[in-house]
Amino acid sequence: MDWFRHRDGQLYCEDVPLATIAERVGTPAYVYSARTIEHHVEAIREAFAAVDPLICYAVKANGNLGVLRVLREAGTGFDIVSVGEMHRVLMAGADPTKIVFSGVGKTASEMQSALEAGILMFNVESEEEVEILAGVAASMDRIASVAIRVNPDVDPKTHRYISTGQAETKFGVDIERGEALARVVAGTPSLRLVGVHCHIGSQITSVEPFARAVARIAELATTLRQDIDTVEWLNMGGGFGIYYKDGKAPEMSAYAEAIVPLVQATGLKLIMEPGRVIVGNAGALLTRVLLTKQSGTRRFVVVDAGMNDVLRPSLYEGYHRIWPVLGDAPPPLGDEGGFEPCHVVGPICETGDFLAKDRPLPDVGRGDLMAVMSAGAYGFVMASNYNDRCRPPEVLVRGDEMAVVRVRETLDDLVRYDRGDAPFEQVNA
Ligand SMILES: Cc1ncc(COP(=O)(O)O)c(C=O)c1O
């Protein structure tokens, strides 16, 4: 469900025409719907109400401060993977006791900052991380709460770049090692074992991998709980898939039906770390056609957004629906027979710079405004300045109002940290 709809011959975000936003802030530009974000949080909460989960939104999906404020006001906690993300969520008013800190390579100084802030727990992924965290906490005379991230070795059947829960990925530790590590944590004075964590991957569109993963971590947590009474949380990570193509994705209730009984049987509390499912369909990227060209048998539509603005298609063949903003809604997928297949490409000097390949499109031309749909997750956060391009603005819509929650970068921003005239200094004494 989202609030991007064609009506009266043009595409709206909630009650604001996307064409108006493009006139105000130019293109390319990201646009987010606050109502869609809130709706997704509510859908998760309702489906899982029987276990009243702590929803820790995965900031990596979209860390815009305006978006984070919407989520904080909706009552979510946050899953962070760096001190940068922690800085953002605290700026957005997050309650530190609802922050979990994931990531395979946290630095000692990040651990220290998170302990100072008073976060809920660290999701710890290795023996050496336990050692480092124990040292940092002891040096601060603090006790760090820890969940062990285990690798339940479940195939989430998603793209290999976003599959994280199998035996040979860099994330977590295997279940046997996880149990031993949990016992080390429990026996370390500066650490407290509070739970077991897993995250098996992203854009997972079936229930079964989640059910298998949760069953495995539930079993481990239950074993640990028999002699470690500080264990109180099961953290199932994120990964719920969204519709990119056809408006269809599993209902939250389908996941809940499989997972809630497993959690209830443990008597433990549930944390989840959804990112994409909350913000993915809540965003679109506006772009304008710069020109069209023919090369060989191929028709190219060259737009003003490139892989530096939206990386998913180039990085992992991510599919985004792309359609003109003015005119009628696109036909259902598969009913585009009358349209010519085109490559939609950006201005970047890379063959891999494309937004869509062989995509049937109406007859678009220079200046036409297009919307790249379902771009709210892993969109702007992966944007770069490659080819010295300014990153686009971000706009948040609520009802018939819009707020520019990040302005377009300027040419000065591109050279802000360069010191081309820095004097050379003698380094060896
Ligand atoms: C530890 C962890 N939790 C949560 C997420 C969020 O995943 P998604 O956006 O698919 O829900 C990720 C994504 O990579 C992750 O690494």
Side-chain angles (χ1 to χ4, degrees), residues 425-429:
E425 291 172 35
Q426 182 69 48
V427 179
N428 298 318

Side-chain angles (χ1 to χ4, degrees), residues 58 60 79 102 149 197 199 202-203 238-240 273-276 378:
K60 64 174 77 66
D79 165 43
S102 306
R149 177 169 180 176
H197 170 242
H199 169 75
S202 198
Q203 185 54 15
F240 300 119
E273 301 168 347
R276 188 188 309 268
Y378 306 103

Side-chain angles (χ1 to χ4, degrees), residues 57-359:
Y57 165 74
V59 178
K60 64 174 77 66
N62 184 328
N64 179 277
L65 282 175
V67 168
L68 297 180
R69 284 167 69 117
V70 170
L71 287 157
R72 193 256 300 152
E73 280 162 19
T76 74
F78 296 94
D79 165 43
I80 58 164
V81 290
S82 68
V83 79
E85 286 189 353
M86 186 172 80
H87 184 60
R88 275 184 180 273
V89 297
L90 293 177
M91 276 183 79
D95 173 355
T97 66
K98 290 192 195 169
I99 297 176
V100 298
F101 193 167
S102 306
V104 73
K106 309 172 189 77
T107 66
S109 109
E110 285 181 312
M111 292 172 183
Q112 184 176 344
S113 304
L115 279 169
E116 272 161 9
I119 67 162
L120 178 60
M121 74 181 75
F122 294 82
N123 294 330
V124 163
E125 307 215 11
S126 65
E127 285 85 351
E128 290 195 27
E129 187 184 343
V130 165
E131 234 176 86
I132 300 166
L133 180 59
V136 172
S139 73
M140 297 169 69
D141 213 8
R142 296 274 178 95
I143 295 179
S145 293
V146 168
I148 302 293
R149 177 169 180 176
V150 296
N151 211 322
D153 201 16
V154 167
D155 181 357
K157 300 194 170 55
T158 185
H159 192 280
R160 65 190 190 287
Y161 285 9
I162 47 176
S163 168
T164 54
Q166 291 173 278
E168 304 295 321
T169 63
K170 71 174 177 176
F171 301 101
V173 290
D174 59 65
I175 292 253
E176 294 72 33
R177 206 178 270 267
E179 179 171 351
L181 191 54
R183 294 190 188 283
V184 171
V185 167
T188 303
S190 60
L191 303 179
R192 180 190 297 114
L193 181 73
V194 295
V196 179
H197 170 242
C198 73
H199 169 75
I200 58 172
S202 198
Q203 185 54 15
I204 303 167
T205 49
S206 59
V207 172
E208 186 251 5
F210 286 107
R212 283 177 45 210
V214 172
R216 290 194 184 160
I217 62 167
E219 193 185 334
L220 173 58
T222 305
T223 306
L224 292 168
R225 169 88 192 166
Q226 280 163 11
D227 31 43
I228 306 168
D229 63 7
T230 51
V231 172
E232 55 177 328
W233 295 99
L234 269 187
N235 183 338
M236 61 173 285
F240 300 119
I242 63 168
Y243 55 83
Y244 281 103
K245 289 190 172 174
D246 54 6
K248 293 193 195 99
E251 291 288 327
M252 268 302 144
S253 54
Y255 295 115
E257 237 168 69
I259 293 165
V260 164
L262 298 170
V263 177
Q264 282 174 325
T266 65
L268 298 172
K269 295 183 285 186
L270 180 67
I271 295 179
M272 51 174 69
E273 301 168 347
R276 188 188 309 268
V277 78
I278 292 178
V279 289
N281 294 131
L285 174 66
L286 292 176
T287 183
R288 258 187 218 286
V289 177
L290 294 173
L291 53 94
T292 62
K293 61 184 272 187
Q294 195 78 23
S295 184
T297 56
R298 193 71 71 198
R299 182 165 177 251
F300 288 87
V301 176
V302 184
V303 295
D304 65 2
M307 66 189 287
N308 73 296
D309 301 300
V310 58
L311 188 58
R312 291 188 69 259
S314 308
L315 184 63
Y316 28 61
E317 298 155 334
Y319 180 104
H320 290 271
R321 205 121 212 239
I322 301 176
W323 202 253
V325 165
L326 298 182
D328 294 330
L333 270 189
D335 287 356
E336 300 139 317
F339 299 117
E340 186 185 357
C342 311
H343 284 358
V344 182
V345 300
I348 298 273
C349 301
E350 298 277 349
T351 305
D353 177 30
F354 62 89
L355 275 61
K357 285 199 166 164
D358 287 322
R359 190 66 64 80

